[in-house]
Structure formats: structure tokens, C-alpha cells
Amino acid sequence: MSRLFDNFNKYRFLLVELIKKDIKLKYRRSYLGILWTLLEPLLTTAVLTFVFGGLLGKGGRTFPVYILSGRLLYSFFAGSTKAAMKSIRKNSGMIKKVYVPKYIYPFSTILSNYVIFLISLVVLFASLFVFDINVTFHILWALVPLLLLLILGVGIGMILATLAVFFRDLEYLWSVFLMIVMYTSAIFYHVDYSSFGEKVWLFNLNPLYLIIMNFRNAVFGTPIDIKALLLTTIYSFGSLIIGIIFFYKQQDKFIMNI
Amino acid sequence: MGIVMKNETLKVENVSMRFNLMEKKVDDLKDYVIKFIKRELRYQEFWALRDVSFTLGQGDRLGILGLNGAGKSTLLKIIAGVLKPTEGKVTARGKIVPLLELGAGFDSQYTGAENIYLYGAVLGYSRDFINEKYDEIVKFSELGDFINVPVKNYSSGMKARLGFSIATIVEPEILILDEVLSVGDAKFRKKSEKKIMSMLDKGITVLFVSHSIDQVLRICDKAIILDKGKLVAQGKVKKVCKIYEERMNES
């Protein structure tokens, strides 16, 4: 354990450099730069609000905030896991020549996406005032689902990064799977007993939905859902532990497959 | 056994490396499932190295001789820590600097200056160290204003020059050379050879892979011969080079 920590300390500078590189290169070639991170969720939220609120007549006055909060969390999860999945192959040149702890590639990828995600939360914060939402002390609870989201992302990202080394076509499968996750995360609808009946428990199987739910509770000033909190803690740490073990068991075989 | 004596810098003990090669490369799920159902998932074992042992002390300069496919690169990769041996172990003291395929770790969209920090971090340097040595690296690479241009616009010679300058800015205890004495144009080659020679004079341990017996004789004082993964000869460079020449003439 202490060896692991020493190792981490030694490569902390590399971790920072890799995160910086991801973020820098992402915005280097776009004129809007980091502004794009703020603009993009606003535009998609406008579209979703128009379709589901305007055309289908769902939701109320604060529906855009509801959509935005779900969408921001989902797009972090989707974007970061996709990028982490490709991270080992993308850095194969480096992995084959110089010794660097390999977990640093999926880990830095998730972290750089997380930094960008945190910046994009500024939009949500601004929307709270635009839509005149009563911000209470409950908002501090938002930190808990946000942290669990990061842990879940790292765990799933490590699992995918490992699998993708052996199976190139996993990318396509994961995209399809992400579509299922998106539609079951209640980004643009409400989950209640009246529309889903007995099947409402199925939503407990989607950790992302539960994280989004508690995040919304915090944002809208309602108390945190303890059951969802417990479940998401189990999901997040469970995936992290599985991810780490799986990655460490397979990492010596990476080099022969990339 | 197993104890590293004071002046031993590198100890390679009974190292073997096995690769499991699939008869046909299967790297997607679809193929894997089809082959699995048809029971066509056959692996072929291949030993790239078999029971290789040697010890180097401080200042030893080892030449590694062998034909293509003898296991030289595999051995270097194991010593550099990139590959983990199937059996046996490698104990190294101090910093290992591998001069293998210089510039392979560069990000092509990053400028030369940014890559100095990135590649430096990959090699395990600290930020302060790079800050301190930055000017020296740029000066040695002779890139001038090109240092602020993305690396994708570099020629292969420029990339190698930058890679060489970053990798050799430290004073390693163990240097791994894979025929990199031909970096860039004639002028830079002279300069890089001089730099390597000055490192050698400081008494570091060197592992040198080359096909040229002349180069090995010029640089090394010890040598080994690898043949199909096995260590067939080791000892003083003159003796081993002579054996190697004889073996070459036989075949």
C-alpha cells in the first residue's frame, strides 16, 4: 500500500501534466474555447425544453433547470467513460517504450473530464438565479453525489479501459449501452409512481439516475434520499474496487495487445 | 543470492519471457465469440527469453549481440520495466534512462516546449528540475524558435534531437542504448556521440544493443550473445565478439 502511495507521489506531476494536456488540446483549436463548455449544455437544454416542455407540455417553470442538471451529469459520465476506454490504446506509443504506471492514463482522462464538468456547472449555478429557485443550505449536499459520480466514473472507466485493450469493438457496444443509460436516467422526464407503476423500482438499477436524483434534491432544496445515497455509495465504491482489481490483474498483458 | 552487493547496479536473475500468441490475432469481441463457439481459440506459446542471468557492476558497459528475433529488445524492455518477465527478476539500482525510439512519447499537437514538460514528466523528472534545465534542453536540441511550433510540423530528425536532449539531461545510473548513435544530421550525431561519451566517462552502467561489432568493441567492455532467447556466451567484449564472428561465419 505504501509502495503504491510512493509511486503515486512520484508520478503526481505526470498526472497533472496529462490532465493539463487534455484540457489544453480540447480547446486549442476552437475559437470559443472554454466558452463552448458553457454554451453547449445551454443549447441542448434549450432544445430538450422546447421538445419536452413546449411541444409535449411537460414540466413546469423550473423544468429547464431540471433538464440541465440531469444532462450535465450524464454528459460527464458518457464523455469521461468513453474517453477512458480509449486511453490505453491512445497512449500505446508511450506505454511500449517507457515505464509509467498504466492506471495514470484512464485516471487522468477521467479527471480532466471532471475538471471541465465542474466548470460547466457554472451554467447550472447561473440558471438557479435566472429561474429564481430558492437556494437553501441543502445545496451543500450536492457535493456528495458529485463525488460519488467521480468515483463511479473512475471505476467504470478502469473496467472499460481494460476490456477495450482486448476487444476493440467494445466502443460501439458501450455507445449503445450509454443510450440505455441516458433514457433511463430521467433527464427529461419525472420518475413517479403514476407513470411507471410497479416498474418504478427498476430505476434503482441505474446508479447514474440515483446520483442525478440526489443532485437534484440538493439543487432544488429538498432533503437527500437516504436509500438512493446508500445505493449509489455501494455502486460507486463497488465499481471502483472491481475496476482497480481487474485493471491490476490484466495490466501486464496490455503491451502484447496494443 | 538475491542480495545486491554494493557496486552491483543491475542484476538479471533467471529471466524468462513467454508470449501467448493467438494463431490469428483476435482483438474484438465479435471474433472472440465466433472463435470461441467454433473452438478455434488456440494459443501458441513462444519463449522470447529463456533463463537469462547476468550481473553488472558500476561502470560496466555491456554490449548485447544477437540476430533479429534473438530477444534483445525484449530484454531491454524488461530491464526498462516496460515488460514484466514471466519468470525471474530484475533488480536495478538508481535511475534508468532508456534511449529507445526517441520522441515516441511526444504529443504531436503539443509544441516542443510543452512536450519538454510532458516527456520530462513521463521520464519521472520533477517540475522544478525541468524548469531549471529547460534552457539547456532547448539549447542542446538546436531547435531555436521551432520550440514553440507543434511537434507535428517537425521533421523526424528534429523530433529525435528534442527527444535526445530531454532524455540525456539527467545523469542516469543505467543507460539503455538501442542503436541511437545516429540521431539527426552529421553535425548533431557528432554532438550526441560526444554527449554519450561524456556520460560514459562518468562511470555509468550501459546496456548497448547493436548489430555493428565495431561499435560494440568501441563502446563496451563486456558483452553477451543472445540466440533464440538463450544466453549463449558472456564475458569480456573481445572474447565474446570473436565468438559472435565465428558463429556468424558458421551459419
Side-chain angles (χ1 to χ4, degrees):
Chain A
M1 200 58 197
S2 76
R3 221 192 73 216
L4 196 80
F5 197 75
D6 281 354
N7 198 297
F8 180 76
N9 239 351
K10 188 177 167 204
Y11 286 97
R12 213 178 41 196
F13 172 48
L14 176 61
L15 186 68
V16 174
E17 279 297 312
L18 288 173
I19 295 170
K20 250 169 53 185
K21 186 187 88 170
D22 267 6
I23 296 172
K24 264 184 174 175
L25 291 180
K26 189 162 181 186
Y27 296 108
R28 178 160 295 174
R29 312 200 87 201
S30 79
Y31 284 107
L32 290 172
I34 205 95
L35 255 183
W36 191 241
T37 308
L38 307 178
L39 209 57
E40 199 257 357
L42 276 184
L43 293 174
T44 48
T45 301
V47 172
L48 288 173
T49 309
F50 174 70
V51 173
F52 291 95
L55 294 180
L56 294 169
K58 288 199 175 141
R61 183 180 58 89
T62 59
F63 198 47
V65 181
Y66 182 88
I67 292 179
L68 186 61
S69 53
R71 218 212 70 97
L72 283 171
L73 268 62
Y74 168 77
S75 61
F76 160 71
F77 181 75
S80 65
T81 51
K82 266 191 204 165
M85 181 165 48
K86 293 179 195 157
S87 61
I88 298 291
R89 267 185 203 281
K90 209 176 118 196
N91 292 293
S92 63
M94 206 100 108
I95 290 171
K96 281 182 191 167
K97 265 117 221 162
V98 195
Y99 169 76
V100 163
K102 294 179 192 67
Y103 69 82
I104 211 155
Y105 297 111
F107 191 48
S108 69
T109 308
I110 300 274
L111 285 180
S112 64
N113 274 278
Y114 197 67
V115 171
I116 293 170
F117 162 68
L118 290 181
I119 295 169
S120 70
L121 285 181
V122 170
V123 181
L124 182 72
F125 206 69
S127 76
L128 292 182
F129 294 99
V130 172
F131 289 92
D132 197 22
I133 283 162
N134 188 18
V135 177
T136 66
F137 70 91
H138 281 294
I139 194 122
L140 291 177
W141 270 103
L143 296 175
V144 178
L146 287 181
L147 187 68
L148 288 174
L149 179 66
L150 174 63
I151 294 167
L152 184 74
V154 174
I156 303 281
M158 299 273 263
I159 296 172
L160 289 171
T162 311
L163 284 172
V165 171
F166 303 103
F167 305 118
R168 264 170 203 274
D169 52 354
L170 191 72
E171 272 175 46
Y172 309 108
L173 279 176
W174 183 243
S175 298
V176 175
F177 192 80
L178 277 175
M179 205 161 73
I180 302 173
V181 173
M182 184 186 79
Y183 283 110
T184 57
S185 290
I187 293 170
F188 35 75
Y189 57 84
H190 289 277
V191 174
D192 44 39
Y193 197 77
S194 60
S195 18
F196 292 96
E198 293 292 334
K199 287 185 198 122
V200 85
W201 71 269
L202 276 169
F203 282 93
N204 287 334
L205 296 177
N206 180 353
L208 191 64
Y209 162 70
L210 298 171
I211 288 176
I212 289 175
M213 182 177 95
N214 262 339
F215 181 68
R216 279 173 176 154
N217 280 338
V219 167
F220 286 99
T222 42
I224 213 101
D225 182 320
I226 298 295
K227 196 183 134 207
L229 182 68
L230 276 176
L231 272 175
T232 45
T233 308
I234 294 168
Y235 280 132
S236 301
F237 282 95
S239 64
L240 181 68
I241 292 165
I242 293 171
I244 290 174
I245 293 173
F246 188 46
F247 192 89
Y248 270 77
K249 287 217 153 151
Q250 300 295 326
Q251 63 173 354
D252 292 331
K253 293 188 206 152
F254 285 2
I255 201 163
M256 296 158 214
N257 286 282
I258 48 178
Chain B
M1 282 296 281
I3 302 159
V4 180
M5 283 192 318
K6 200 158 188 202
N7 62 350
E8 280 178 4
T9 45
L10 181 74
K11 193 166 181 146
V12 176
E13 290 170 272
N14 309 97
V15 163
S16 297
M17 185 76 211
R18 185 186 63 213
F19 290 107
N20 280 329
L21 297 175
M22 208 102 61
E23 277 174 16
K24 260 188 190 156
K25 198 168 164 54
V26 174
D27 66 354
D28 61 27
L29 202 56
K30 186 193 74 195
D31 280 358
Y32 189 86
V33 171
I34 292 172
K35 290 249 157 63
F36 183 80
I37 292 168
K38 291 166 84 180
R39 295 173 186 225
E40 280 179 3
L41 280 178
R42 274 190 292 268
Y43 293 91
Q44 214 166 17
E45 269 190 8
F46 165 68
W47 288 88
L49 286 177
R50 251 307 162 44
D51 204 23
V52 173
S53 304
F54 60 87
T55 308
L56 292 182
Q58 201 193 343
D60 279 348
R61 305 200 287 259
L62 182 80
I64 302 172
L65 295 160
L67 300 172
N68 284 333
K72 301 184 301 275
S73 301
T74 308
L75 180 62
L76 289 192
K77 279 183 176 169
I78 289 173
I79 292 168
V82 174
L83 274 175
K84 203 178 160 195
T86 318
E87 288 164 16
K89 70 169 186 175
V90 173
T91 326
R93 313 186 119 211
K95 185 156 186 55
I96 300 180
V97 165
L99 293 185
L100 316 164
E101 289 182 61
L102 293 164
F106 287 160
D107 190 292
S108 61
Q109 293 187 64
Y110 246 25
T111 65
E114 287 167 322
N115 267 305
I116 291 179
Y117 283 87
L118 180 67
Y119 196 49
V122 168
L123 294 175
Y125 304 170
S126 71
R127 186 194 304 274
D128 292 340
F129 180 78
I130 303 174
N131 279 336
E132 187 190 313
K133 299 281 186 181
Y134 178 84
D135 291 333
E136 203 181 314
I137 295 170
V138 176
K139 196 170 160 242
F140 193 87
S141 69
E142 297 176 6
L143 284 166
D145 289 338
F146 276 104
I147 205 72
N148 292 316
V149 171
V151 163
K152 63 180 171 201
N153 300 329
Y154 281 21
S155 69
S156 56
M158 288 161 87
K159 259 188 248 176
R161 262 152 55 191
L162 186 59
F164 183 89
S165 310
I166 301 170
T168 55
I169 201 74
V170 280
E171 280 171 15
E173 274 79 29
I174 300 170
L175 184 70
I176 298 179
L177 288 167
D178 193 357
E179 310 211 50
V180 281
L181 295 181
S182 51
V183 178
D185 54 24
K187 193 172 139 245
F188 193 81
R189 197 172 324 165
K190 262 208 175 127
K191 200 167 133 185
S192 60
E193 269 196 58
K194 216 174 124 195
K195 173 99 184 181
I196 288 174
M197 287 305 176
S198 81
M199 290 170 105
L200 299 189
D201 289 342
K202 282 179 191 141
I204 60 171
T205 305
V206 181
L207 291 143
F208 179 57
V209 166
S210 177
H211 290 289
S212 150
I213 293 181
D214 290 342
Q215 269 189 335
V216 171
L217 279 170
R218 192 152 52 95
I219 289 174
C220 306
D221 57 0
K222 285 183 173 179
I224 57 172
I225 302 175
L226 288 176
D227 185 21
K228 292 182 187 129
K230 291 197 183 100
L231 189 76
V232 290
Q234 65 174 323
K236 289 256 183 301
V237 67
K238 276 188 184 145
K239 191 185 93 194
V240 175
C241 280
K242 216 174 148 196
I243 298 172
Y244 189 65
E245 269 177 338
E246 281 165 13
R247 289 173 67 95
M248 296 280 278
N249 290 334
E250 273 170 38
S251 54

